Amino acid sequence: MSTIVLLLSNIWAKKARSFGLAFAVALAVMTVVVLTVVSSGLESSAAAILKIGKSDFTVAQKNVSDVLFSYLDTHQLAEVRATKGVANAVGALIETERINAANPLFLEIGLPLDELTPFGVHVLAGRPYSANATHEVMLGWRAAEDMGLHVGDGFYANGTKNTIVGIYSTGISFGDLGAIFPLSAVQAYNRVPGAVTLVFVKVAPGYRIGEVEKRITYAHPELTTIRTVTQFGRADRNLVFLKAAATGSTILAVVIGAIVVGNTMMLSLFERTREFGLLRAIGWTRTRVVSLLLGEGMVLAVVGAAVGVGLSYLVTSILQALPQLAGVLHSNYTSEAFWRGLYTGLGMTILGTLYPALRAGFLAPLQALSHE
Amino acid sequence: MNEHHAIAPTLSSQDIEPTGIPVQGGHISALTSESRSNVEKGYASLAIEVIGVTKEFDGGAVRALNGMDLRVERGEFIAIMGPSGCGKSTLLHLLAALDSPTSGTIRVEGQDLSHLPDPSRYRRQTIGLVFQLHNLLPRLSALANIEVAMMGSHRPHRERTVWARQLLSELDLADRERRHPPQLSGGERQRVAIARALANDPPVLLVDEPTGNLDSDASANVLALFARLQREYGVTTVMVTHDPAVAQAAGRILQMRDGRIGDPIGA
Ligand SMILES: Nc1ncnc2c1ncn2[C@@H]1O[C@H](COP(=O)(O)OP(=O)(O)OP(=O)(O)O)[C@@H](O)[C@H]1O
Ligand SMILES: [Mg+2]
């Protein structure tokens, strides 16, 4: 018999308790993974807005709760465009609208006709809208496919009935799930003449992106530039709150989990006092006894974490299937979520096991042996 | 520290075939020239030295040992007798470094027990202890109970099971290795505990009432084993017993009374 077999047989000998401990770990890990996966899903789908156009970086208004609440006027757009090193700057007005139950946050982009090509829009069927049309729309091919719409069909959006004049592709799935209108039509419907939400900037050859970004934010302290998803997270306060909530819940899950694990381990310590006394009496070192208990905890933590990741998958699927949440909640299974789950499981187990394990290691052998 | 290992050098150097399997039964009959020669040379010939040891419990209300003196030669087999409560088990616990004396000095194999750098290692390597109440782990098989004692020892992993089996067969328990303690008789458990005490080839064996649960045949076997360990490996054995017939197997019988040794009986 090796130490690892002894360890496993100890776990097996107390099946109910081991199961309970692993389950506590699984619940905590599940909570953490679901929160991570959902917040990361929201982040990446929100950040996908930044990627709907071909650009080196995006300019938005600073300190808005949702990046779609960003607002730049004609003047600001012109100044960004005139900044040294900017090859071109496309201003887009972006909004989301509830089209139907399946599309509660349908993406609508207002773009000037002459910016379609620089923005990376390819017309797959039909034609682009005309520059100042008020009832014309181009539909992303994925949106068209989802809703079963074709060129020539009617499409209620942006406050009016539009005719689908073309089907486009941007090559970016998020962009292809939306619709593009003439900029003036979206501005008119939202009563924000001349305004745009985001400016997509392409840097001229020979200029460094970071330099151009700095130049813009220096001249416009009210604006911020976004190049990566992380920077986006900082621009969007809702996401900041969401991620803070996820972190807070992780800490809470670890603490509650550690208490549950610690409780179980203390019970186990009292039950197994004689065993530990005997092991010490026949020459086991303190370290060996402590390691045995920590090892038992670790095995259960890993099993619990694996179960927790599986449960999280189940829970996000159920959440996404709820009619109230359909289309809003996106899950994004990153390796980060997986590692976070594992760390949570191991962290709470180490926290919960350390004290009982040390107590076991430091038992006086004789007293422990006469323990009832 | 090799000279302290009565059995290990024999098993590893002489009885292990190139395959790693010891020759059946060979380890007991082969002599350990090393340990014998140490005794002959008179090298640290005292195995156990107890000098003026007092052990009090409950803040002095109970005095289990009272200025006890004891010297045991290396390779000696002694029996300690005495009325219940005279301090026999307490003495063995002190010798096993499971407890420390209130005052006085104890040296085992030249090591002062109050200054042991690593008491776990001492318990693992220097002594084998058989408790008065068989303290086996009830969830583990007889074989595993012996193997557990070898965890952390120098014996290579692959040899441990083989050695544990050999000890079991030495104690007539070969067909009981898979049984768990609740499925063993009192005497069988006692013998498993003895096998476990021998697992790390200790130079000193401390046994508390080894024959308490054994019938006369089984007692005779266990006593013969102790005698053989003494004769062939120079193992120092301290055996506590209340049975005068059992005590006769030892080379020296000591009477304990009120926490100290009385007049020696026999030679
Ligand atoms: N942990 C303890 N706390 C208090 N008193 C103790 C403790 N251990 C032993 N004693 C007392 O010390 C005395 C000696 O006990 P010990 O167990 O050494 O006796 P013993 O000679 O082994 O007896 P027996 O033959 O019945 O096993 C007894 O009076 C006992 O009650
Ligand atoms: Mg006793």
Side-chain angles (χ1 to χ4, degrees), chain A residues 1 10 274-275 278 283-284, chain B residues 123-124 135 139 147-148:
Chain A
M1 170 183 271
N10 287 344
R274 278 178 60 91
E275 172 187 341
L278 182 61
W284 274 45
Chain B
R123 290 197 285 267
R124 193 167 63 243
N135 277 290
R139 282 191 286 99
E147 287 173 311
V148 161

Side-chain angles (χ1 to χ4, degrees), chain B residues 88-89 132 208:
Chain B
K88 303 183 296 293
S89 296
Q132 184 166 13
D208 205 344

Side-chain angles (χ1 to χ4, degrees), chain A residues 366-367 370, chain B residues 55-58 61-65 81-93 99 132 208-209 240-242 256 259:
Chain A
L366 265 192
Q367 274 92 303
S370 51
Chain B
K55 177 66 185 175
E56 294 174 348
F57 290 109
D58 301 335
V62 179
R63 186 168 277 203
L65 295 179
M81 299 187 68
S84 180
C86 72
K88 303 183 296 293
S89 296
T90 303
L91 173 67
L92 291 194
H93 293 154
D99 210 343
Q132 184 166 13
D208 205 344
E209 298 285 1
V240 165
T241 181
H242 64 269
M256 255 184 95

Side-chain angles (χ1 to χ4, degrees), chain A residues 61-139:
Chain A
Q61 190 186 342
K62 211 174 189 170
N63 293 331
V64 285
S65 63
D66 183 313
V67 79
L68 291 187
F69 294 162
S70 162
Y71 180 97
L72 283 82
D73 58 28
T74 327
H75 183 67
Q76 287 168 315
L77 174 59
E79 286 196 354
V80 168
R81 196 168 272 152
T83 305
K84 197 174 157 211
V86 172
N88 71 64
V90 179
L93 187 57
I94 302 167
E95 58 173 7
T96 54
E97 186 179 357
R98 184 184 171 84
I99 298 289
N100 52 39
N103 294 286
L105 293 170
F106 188 74
L107 179 72
E108 297 173 359
I109 307 164
L111 270 182
L113 176 64
D114 52 352
E115 304 285 17
L116 286 179
T117 311
F119 203 68
V121 176
H122 300 279
V123 180
L124 299 179
R127 59 166 176 83
Y129 44 73
S130 31
N132 294 310
T134 47
H135 302 289
E136 287 186 3
V137 65
M138 286 168 70
L139 208 54

Side-chain angles (χ1 to χ4, degrees), chain B residues 49-112:
Chain B
E49 228 179 329
V50 175
I51 307 160
V53 165
T54 296
K55 177 66 185 175
E56 294 174 348
F57 290 109
D58 301 335
V62 179
R63 186 168 277 203
L65 295 179
N66 188 10
M68 165 133 189
D69 290 301
L70 174 67
R71 289 156 76 88
V72 182
E73 297 277 325
R74 191 169 266 178
E76 239 194 314
F77 178 7
I78 69 161
I80 294 179
M81 299 187 68
S84 180
C86 72
K88 303 183 296 293
S89 296
T90 303
L91 173 67
L92 291 194
H93 293 154
L94 293 184
L95 290 175
L98 286 170
D99 210 343
S100 44
T102 310
S103 64
T105 307
I106 303 177
R107 270 195 285 274
V108 176
E109 291 284 321
Q111 306 170 75
D112 185 339

Side-chain angles (χ1 to χ4, degrees), chain A residues 1-3 6 9-10 13 272 274-275 278-286 288 365-366 369, chain B residues 93 98-99 118 120-121 123-124 131 135-137 139-140 144 147-149 151-152 161 196 200:
Chain A
M1 170 183 271
S2 61
T3 312
L6 174 67
S9 85
N10 287 344
R272 293 169 65 185
R274 278 178 60 91
E275 172 187 341
L278 182 61
L279 291 174
R280 297 275 289 118
I282 62 174
W284 274 45
T285 57
R286 293 197 166 110
R288 191 166 273 271
L366 265 192
L369 272 171
Chain B
H93 293 154
L98 286 170
D99 210 343
D118 183 352
S120 307
R121 185 191 167 115
R123 290 197 285 267
R124 193 167 63 243
F131 291 95
N135 277 290
L136 298 177
L137 292 170
R139 282 191 286 99
L140 301 182
E147 287 173 311
V148 161
M151 289 176 180
T161 309
R196 185 184 61 196
N200 294 315

Side-chain angles (χ1 to χ4, degrees), chain A residues 1-2 5-6 9 282, chain B residues 136-151 157-171 173-184 188-189 191-199:
Chain A
M1 170 183 271
S2 61
V5 174
L6 174 67
S9 85
I282 62 174
Chain B
L136 298 177
L137 292 170
R139 282 191 286 99
L140 301 182
S141 69
L143 188 71
N145 261 286
I146 298 167
E147 287 173 311
V148 161
M150 287 185 260
M151 289 176 180
H157 278 270
R158 59 193 172 81
E159 286 175 19
R160 293 182 186 172
T161 309
V162 175
W163 176 228
R165 286 215 169 92
Q166 209 163 336
L167 285 169
L168 280 176
S169 81
E170 207 53 63
L171 285 142
L173 292 165
D175 54 345
R176 297 283 193 276
E177 65 167 63
R178 302 180 78 95
R179 297 264 192 102
H180 289 232
Q183 305 162 329
L184 293 170
E188 286 167 338
R189 281 183 237 170
R191 281 180 284 154
V192 174
I194 292 169
R196 185 184 61 196
L198 295 172

